[in-house]
Amino acid sequence: MTKGAKFAVGLISGVFGGFFGGLLGLGGGVIMIPLMTWLAKITQHQAHGTSLVAIVFTAIAGAATYYALGGVDWKIALILAVSATITARFGARYAHSLPEKKLKMAFGFFLIFASTMLVVKGYLPKTTWALGQWTSIVVFLVIGFVTGFVSGMMGVGGGGVMVPLMVVVGNVGQHMAQGTSLLAMIPASISGASTHYKLGNVKLDIAWGLAIGSLVGAFFGAKTANQLPDFHLKIVFAAIGAWMGIKYIRAGK
């Protein structure tokens, strides 16, 4: 495959990933990774590492949008980023250590989890207790610790894990949690992507097209989101995601 063809594959995968991410509030990685392995025929490890490069750019754009709307808590984002940035590199190294089939299986389970959260995240119970300052710091450090590892391992932004934990455990509103998680995942995604790059799991000739496409797709996805029935779209997409997850798990076996 020529460099131009690889860039085109990245562009197409990024547009679809960004579009559905913007449309449904879903991380683009769960869409871009299957598309890259299917269209570009790259390994699962390379798809995870390459996806993280694009997520750096989409996280920047998303965090800037939420910040303009007052949906970012800088203090919480900083705490989350401290631990997530450290564990993202360990997640990337762990993914690299896994055989292809086992990584496919792990990604399949993550797809099922992400598909489930897509439907239920708007109905998550909100805590009413007030966290003390030090308790709050420990809680968000732990959330960042878990999310960073998942992000580095799965090649995703990690919002599907971080946001529910922030809402349920950290007593953060849904909108604020989404914007804050995007900001926190910028350095974490950079950490994971750079580790994958050092391990040879980033295809730069695909990554740049992926980054550009995801930014364009996310813009149009967000624009379209207000014009289509949100809940029914999530149900359909969650069903497709769960089906894909099962296929990945079977492929891993």
Side-chain angles (χ1 to χ4, degrees):
M1 185 179 288
T2 65
K3 288 185 178 181
K6 290 179 180 179
F7 179 85
V9 167
L11 191 66
I12 293 169
S13 301
V15 167
F16 275 98
F19 180 80
F20 284 105
L23 181 66
L24 301 171
L26 183 71
V30 299
I31 300 160
M32 293 186 289
I33 289 172
L35 284 175
M36 281 189 287
T37 56
W38 176 46
L39 295 174
K41 307 299 182 184
I42 63 177
T43 69
Q44 192 72 24
H45 295 82
Q46 291 170 338
H48 286 212
T50 306
S51 170
L52 271 178
V53 175
I55 287 169
V56 172
F57 294 94
T58 54
I60 291 171
T65 302
Y66 272 93
Y67 177 74
L69 298 172
V72 171
D73 188 311
W74 283 88
K75 293 180 181 179
I76 293 177
L78 179 61
I79 297 170
L80 291 167
V82 167
S83 53
T85 301
I86 295 171
T87 55
R89 66 179 60 189
F90 290 105
R93 290 186 178 277
Y94 181 67
H96 183 74
S97 72
L98 292 176
E100 182 88 357
K101 286 189 175 182
K102 286 190 176 181
L103 187 58
K104 283 180 179 289
M105 186 181 293
F107 186 68
F109 281 113
F110 182 78
L111 269 178
I112 294 174
F113 170 79
S115 299
T116 303
M117 292 310 305
L118 177 64
V119 177
V120 307
K121 68 179 182 180
Y123 306 96
L124 292 173
K126 296 178 175 60
T127 56
T128 55
W129 61 72
L131 299 176
Q133 181 179 359
W134 290 106
T135 303
S136 178
I137 291 173
V138 171
V139 165
F140 290 120
L141 281 174
V142 172
I143 292 174
F145 182 92
V146 173
T147 307
F149 186 86
V150 171
S151 174
M153 178 184 175
M154 292 300 167
V156 298
V161 177
M162 184 178 282
V163 171
L165 289 175
M166 290 173 68
V167 172
V168 177
V169 182
N171 198 22
V172 180
Q174 180 76 29
H175 184 267
M176 184 67 71
Q178 291 178 183
T180 303
S181 73
L182 281 168
L183 181 60
M185 290 314 297
I186 294 172
S189 298
I190 292 173
S191 173
S194 62
T195 303
H196 273 291
Y197 178 75
K198 292 175 183 176
L199 295 170
N201 294 332
V202 173
K203 305 289 287 185
L204 287 178
D205 43 8
I206 298 175
W208 300 126
L210 199 70
I212 295 170
S214 61
L215 287 173
V216 174
F219 173 78
F220 286 103
K223 287 285 187 182
T224 309
N226 296 324
Q227 304 171 22
L228 295 174
D230 179 66
F231 181 74
H232 295 94
L233 277 173
K234 288 182 177 180
I235 291 292
V236 172
F237 197 86
I240 295 172
W243 173 73
M244 289 175 59
I246 292 171
K247 285 182 69 68
Y248 265 97
I249 292 170
R250 287 177 176 173
K253 291 181 178 179

